[in-house]
């Protein structure tokens, strides 16, 4: 079991590793020689991102509707490095760029 204070650093490193891997895979798709495969893979990635973004947005709405505790939870999502990154990816972060 890891020490609690090392967990955020480990999570951050894991998140960064995954982002780098995604970047490598996206680059591989974008440079695929078969244009039909390339187009299908890009559409697949876009569709998955849209699906996840729509579901996350609905989840945030449901949490928000629970009242003050839900709003506090959403603020915590925005302050957390991992969930904040995912919210940013989907354009759902609750804080504007200047405030972040």
């Amino acid at each position: 079991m890891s020490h609690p204070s090392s967990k955020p650093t480990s999570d951050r490193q894991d998140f960064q590793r995954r982002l780098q891997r995604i970047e490598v895979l996206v680059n591989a798709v974008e440079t695929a020689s078969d244009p039909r495969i390339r187009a299908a893979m890009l559409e697949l990635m876009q569709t998955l991102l849209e699906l996840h973004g729509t579901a996350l947005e609905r989840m945030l709405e449901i949490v928000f509707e629970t009242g003050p505790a839900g709003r506090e939870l959403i603020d915590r999502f925005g302050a957390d490095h991992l969930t904040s990154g995912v919210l940013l990816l989907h354009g759902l972060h609750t804080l504007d760029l200047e405030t972040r």
Side-chain angles (χ1 to χ4, degrees):
M1 179 184 270
S2 65
H3 187 275
S5 64
S6 68
K7 185 76 170 141
T9 300
S10 175
D11 286 348
R12 208 171 279 129
Q13 291 169 340
D14 186 52
F15 185 69
Q16 289 302 316
R17 255 192 314 275
R18 288 173 192 234
L19 285 177
Q20 289 169 351
R21 182 62 184 150
I22 289 169
E23 186 175 339
V24 167
L25 292 169
V26 167
N27 187 49
V29 167
E30 289 176 337
T31 59
S33 59
D34 185 331
R36 292 172 298 162
I37 297 293
R38 185 174 53 242
M41 291 303 296
L42 290 171
E43 183 179 352
L44 172 64
M45 289 186 300
Q46 184 63 37
T47 302
L48 281 171
L49 281 172
E50 289 170 358
L51 174 67
H52 288 165
T54 300
L56 285 169
E57 184 174 23
R58 182 63 187 131
M59 291 168 67
L60 290 172
E61 289 170 354
I62 291 168
V63 170
F64 183 83
E65 290 167 358
T66 66
R71 291 188 212 52
E72 182 180 327
L73 187 55
I74 290 171
D75 288 343
R76 288 180 62 194
F77 292 154
D80 180 84
H81 68 279
L82 182 60
T83 55
S84 174
V86 171
L87 291 173
L88 279 170
L89 175 67
H90 292 286
L92 298 171
H93 202 287
T94 58
L95 298 175
D96 62 29
L97 180 61
E98 189 173 304
T99 305
R100 285 191 304 262

